[in-house]
Amino acid sequence: MSTRVVRQIVRAFEITEGAGVTVHRTIGTPALRNLDPFLMLDHFGSDDPDDYIAGFPSHPHRGFVTFTYMLDGHMEHRDSMGNCGDLRSGGAQWMKAASGVIHSEMPKQMDGLMRGFQLWINLPAAEKMSDPAYQEFTPHAIPEVVEDGRKVRVLAGEYGDQHGVIDDPGTDMQYLDVGLNAGAKFSLDLPASHTVFVCVYDGEAEIGGTKLPRYSLAVLGEGEKVEIQAGSEDTRFICVAGKPIGEPIVQHGPFVMNTRAEIEQAFRDYQTGQLVKKKALMTGR
Ligand code: FE2
């Protein structure tokens, strides 16, 4: 069984989004336009209350899934499906925008901290105009595996004897939040067909001798096995995998479709109030 090595390190790009909020983007930048099936990865975080006070007021999405994982602080969410959520530290939100959702996301600090990740996951053509769906999970609903020097939170996919709370059927996504004690190791078998990336957000780690700078994205190459070792301090990272969709990607801002004509249709629908076709009720636990 071959072990995956680091194929590319993508440094985060600072981008101003929403109402003047700075996010640190890796997937979805000139260095890495997309990483099929993933379209965008933003890390947001601050210990300055003025940084995020403006948040992300009402904006549309069509053609993909947004997956938000809060590490610290919380995020108030309202959408065109009638959902009103409050994503708490350690909790997660899976929102299938599909045919169209308009929502607002307002990050808030707790104890002076706020940080998290938002990942955009593509949908196959057959699902892009399907009905939206929304799932929100409290921190206590996320299964954890605690082993020798390791704590693994299983948000999606499987680890040990635990199954994640979120199923993303189009991509068979695996989304793990891994905490390692200094010097501890983590290993995982994944299908060779899957795209895999790792993003360290606390401490330091290496893969096959390559150091992973904090908040940079490490894209892994071919293989079946992933092996990561923590450095001299306690370390936390996300390890995410998914099956590529292999279809054309045409993206314009918040709309991601397969053709230019479909993007133009999305803009027309938004301008004429036709973007939201169906409401969905919140599920989760
Ligand atoms: Fe959004």
Side-chain angles (χ1 to χ4, degrees):
M1 189 178 281
S2 59
T3 304
R4 293 177 186 252
V5 297
V6 176
R7 194 182 76 203
Q8 186 183 3
I9 298 272
V10 182
R11 301 236 170 223
F13 227 69
E14 279 196 11
I15 292 183
T16 303
E17 280 282 4
V21 177
T22 303
V23 298
H24 301 268
R25 185 164 297 168
T26 46
I27 304 172
T29 61
L32 188 64
R33 276 282 161 226
N34 52 66
L35 184 65
D36 192 9
F38 306 113
L39 301 165
M40 196 196 79
L41 180 70
D42 278 351
H43 164 74
F44 49 89
S46 178
D47 51 10
D48 176 353
D50 295 330
D51 272 1
Y52 284 80
I53 217 83
F56 306 89
S58 190
H59 60 275
H61 294 293
R62 174 178 281 178
F64 58 98
V65 167
T66 68
F67 181 75
T68 308
Y69 179 39
M70 287 306 285
L71 300 171
D72 300 300
H74 63 124
M75 174 92 89
E76 286 176 8
H77 172 267
R78 287 173 196 275
D79 67 36
S80 53
M81 298 179 281
N83 298 308
C84 179
D86 186 7
L87 191 57
R88 292 273 156 177
S89 172
Q93 178 207 68
W94 180 89
M95 187 185 80
K96 182 183 178 187
S99 55
V101 163
I102 297 173
H103 74 162
S104 65
E105 300 159 285
M106 308 302 268
K108 310 277 177 191
Q109 300 193 8
M110 277 170 81
D111 303 322
L113 275 175
M114 193 283 295
R115 52 177 194 164
F117 287 104
Q118 186 170 86
L119 177 69
W120 289 11
I121 309 155
N122 206 3
L123 283 169
E127 284 286 314
K128 280 187 181 289
M129 292 303 286
S130 62
D131 293 342
Y134 180 90
Q135 296 179 14
E136 193 177 289
F137 298 93
T138 64
H140 306 292
I142 314 263
E144 291 183 351
V145 178
V146 180
E147 317 168 299
D148 206 15
R150 281 183 293 273
K151 184 167 105 171
V152 181
R153 308 192 79 224
V154 189
L155 293 126
E158 282 172 30
Y159 182 81
D161 57 355
Q162 296 293 330
H163 190 88
V165 285
I166 288 153
D167 279 316
D168 195 73
T171 65
D172 184 29
M173 181 176 70
Q174 179 107 12
Y175 194 121
L176 305 175
D177 174 18
V178 182
L180 294 181
N181 292 349
K185 285 184 183 161
F186 165 78
S187 74
L188 179 69
D189 295 338
L190 286 168
S193 54
H194 280 36
T195 298
V196 184
F197 70 82
V198 174
C199 185
V200 176
Y201 63 89
D202 275 340
E204 52 180 38
E206 62 166 58
I207 295 178
T210 305
K211 280 204 161 48
L212 312 183
R214 200 180 301 183
Y215 298 131
S216 290
L217 186 93
V219 182
L220 305 195
E222 291 174 9
E224 293 92 27
K225 200 175 186 68
V226 176
E227 288 184 336
I228 305 172
Q229 178 158 20
S232 57
E233 48 186 306
D234 292 352
T235 295
R236 284 183 76 183
F237 56 86
I238 54 169
C239 178
V240 181
K243 191 169 64 166
I245 292 170
E247 292 176 357
I249 297 168
V250 182
Q251 176 167 6
H252 204 290
F255 307 130
V256 186
M257 304 299 287
N258 298 108
T259 67
R260 190 83 231 148
E262 289 166 343
I263 292 288
E264 286 162 10
Q265 185 64 48
F267 274 100
R268 272 198 301 277
D269 284 353
Y270 183 47
Q271 281 156 3
T272 57
Q274 313 278 307
L275 186 90
V276 177
K277 307 219 177 272
K278 185 119 184 218
K279 293 176 190 271
L281 290 179
M282 187 193 306
T283 58
R285 52 187 186 267

